[in-house]
Amino acid sequence: MIRSIVRTTGAALVAGLVLGAGVTGQGRPHIDPLAMRILKASDALIQQAERVHFRARINYDQVLPTGQKLQFGGDLDLAVKRPGRIVATYRGDLDVKKVFCDGKRVTLYDQAANVYGVIQVPEKLDGAVRAMAEEAGFSIPLIDLVCVRPGFERFSRIQSGHYVGVHRIAGVPCHHLAFTGPKVDWQLWIEDSVRFLPRKVVITHKTLPGAPQYVAWIREWDFAPNLPDALFTFRPPAGADEIEFLKPGGKK
Amino acid sequence: MSRVRAIAIPVAAAIAALLGVSTSAGAQYAWGGWGGWGTGIYVPQQMTQAHPVVRNVPYRVGKWELPKPVGTYVPAPPAGAIGKAIGGKQYFQAGPDFYLKHGQGLIVATPPLGGVLDRVPIGSESIRVGAVEYHAYNGAFVRRTPKGFEIVPAPVGAVVDKLPEGATETKIGGKRHYLAGGAVYRPYYRGATVVYQVVEPPKAEPAPK
């Protein structure tokens, strides 16, 4: 149904993006209610799920001062079991990291250095994610997709939002949404079905030199994965040492 | 035949420092959710000899030549290199680079304590400890003194992204530390990035009677 609305208005919206840069006649930013509705529908579905598992391919730019861009990437495997369990493995070109949250503690493991850090966190997912950001200064890639997030506050600073059209990601027709914010612009492709699953994310850090981009292709969404509690418990590998977190923004 | 070791290793970090961006924010950008929302250019943190993922990142930026990474081999002293005896070793200094003889040629060494530069090395990481500003490059710390920019011992409290070449792991009080150039480094996380803080060396154990 949404698609039919889109087909009639899509071209006009794209034209609006090109011509008006998302600004209405009154000079105020335009946020398309259709784009917001799809975004919120997607959020609601994922955030109601008791168990979620997905995989993602992430690529990101490194900009050298010459303007030359290098692209690096990694593969993410993320599982969440509410109220507060998270396990994530990120195998990247430059680092391999794992995060375990058992509902009480979060452990961040770095494979190259063979070290891990632990912080105590609230029982629920959202609180745990917030504690990671505020007390330890890190976040899990794409965790924003599954919880009410520190990142979502940025969503409240959306300056404009557009519905671009229906475009395929890995063969699946998706609602292509485009938003702008003060520091980043982002695009989201959400599956055109009752499942409203995010399939792709592109973030443009427009205020940084060379406007590096972060791209994630999300696949293998599963809302009934087998997730035994033991999966969320960190067992230090041989020789691993615990280290502390420096307080974000300053010394220990 | 001489073999050129992996150059370029800390160069990206140096390049980022050149622009005055925070490398920790950069790391956060790479790793963090939604791209981390970080404000910084991404800088690879794991570019070490043991983990050579990226090689040959250009270390000349426009007309500026960055300090050469420790271990870079050259067949002959670069133009303008000056012979200097520092701490009982014979170095050839060219700008911020200190060379030692290595086989038929020369190899870039960790800058020696007491070495003096005429300017802050391009791409060095600016680190403030208390009221004093240091510049870190190639595992060494530079501070302005009446002699110029002098290589000084690692200041306690400084946090660096990368250990000096040849740092060795040890346990102090059951915790992992590293020893390099007479300084003691303790690993911490800064965000999701492993960094190293210079700490006070442990008090000598009282000798058993």
Side-chain angles (χ1 to χ4, degrees), chain A residues 60-66 68 70 72 90 93-95 97 99 108-110 112-117 136-142 144-145 149 151 154-155 183-184 188 201 203 205 208-209 212-214 239-241 243-246 251-252, chain B residues 12 15-16 18-19 21 28-47 51 53-54 57-58 60-62 127-129 157-159 169 171 174-176 178 186-197:
Chain A
Y60 54 91
D61 295 328
Q62 175 196 347
V63 184
L64 299 180
T66 53
Q68 185 180 359
L70 300 181
F72 297 102
Y90 176 80
D93 295 336
L94 305 169
D95 54 355
K97 287 188 165 56
V99 179
L108 172 65
Y109 174 69
D110 182 288
N114 199 20
V115 294
Y116 60 95
F138 76 93
S139 57
I140 300 170
L142 301 176
D144 316 64
L145 293 176
R149 53 216 103 178
R154 324 254 172 173
F155 287 28
K183 287 189 174 174
V184 295
L188 201 57
V201 176
I203 297 156
H205 293 257
L208 297 182
Q213 286 193 314
Y214 179 104
D241 288 313
I243 63 175
E244 293 170 23
F245 287 91
L246 294 174
K251 297 277 185 293
K252 183 176 68 116
Chain B
I15 289 170
L18 173 66
L19 297 187
V21 298
Q28 180 72 357
Y29 159 58
W31 155 254
W34 286 115
W37 308 98
T39 52
I41 289 181
Y42 173 66
V43 176
Q45 298 296 323
Q46 302 300 335
M47 290 187 176
H51 193 81
V53 272
V54 178
V57 173
R60 180 186 288 276
V61 180
I127 295 171
R128 196 167 279 279
V129 180
V159 178
E169 192 178 319
K171 284 273 162 65
K175 302 275 184 192
R176 190 192 292 186
Y178 296 88
R186 181 171 173 183
Y188 286 97
Y189 271 121
R190 182 163 58 190
T193 306
V194 180
V195 295
Y196 305 90
Q197 186 169 42

Side-chain angles (χ1 to χ4, degrees), chain B residues 38-140:
Chain B
T39 52
I41 289 181
Y42 173 66
V43 176
Q45 298 296 323
Q46 302 300 335
M47 290 187 176
T48 66
Q49 300 276 351
H51 193 81
V53 272
V54 178
R55 290 169 188 265
N56 303 323
V57 173
Y59 58 84
R60 180 186 288 276
V61 180
K63 62 184 178 179
W64 302 311
E65 189 140 339
L66 298 162
K68 290 185 181 56
V70 172
T72 304
Y73 178 91
V74 294
I82 298 162
K84 280 186 184 172
I86 305 169
K89 286 185 184 168
Q90 184 61 38
Y91 290 90
F92 291 90
Q93 183 181 356
D97 302 325
F98 290 83
Y99 295 87
L100 285 172
K101 278 210 176 294
H102 182 86
Q104 298 293 307
L106 300 157
I107 200 162
V108 174
T110 300
L113 292 184
V116 177
L117 314 177
D118 58 0
R119 70 189 75 167
V120 172
I122 290 178
S124 60
E125 187 182 357
S126 175
I127 295 171
R128 196 167 279 279
V129 180
V132 183
E133 189 180 19
Y134 295 86
H135 304 274
Y137 81 107
N138 270 351

Side-chain angles (χ1 to χ4, degrees), chain A residues 194-207:
Chain A
V194 288
R195 307 203 307 161
F196 288 106
L197 297 176
R199 291 283 184 173
K200 184 182 175 187
V201 176
V202 172
I203 297 156
T204 306
H205 293 257
K206 61 184 174 183
T207 60

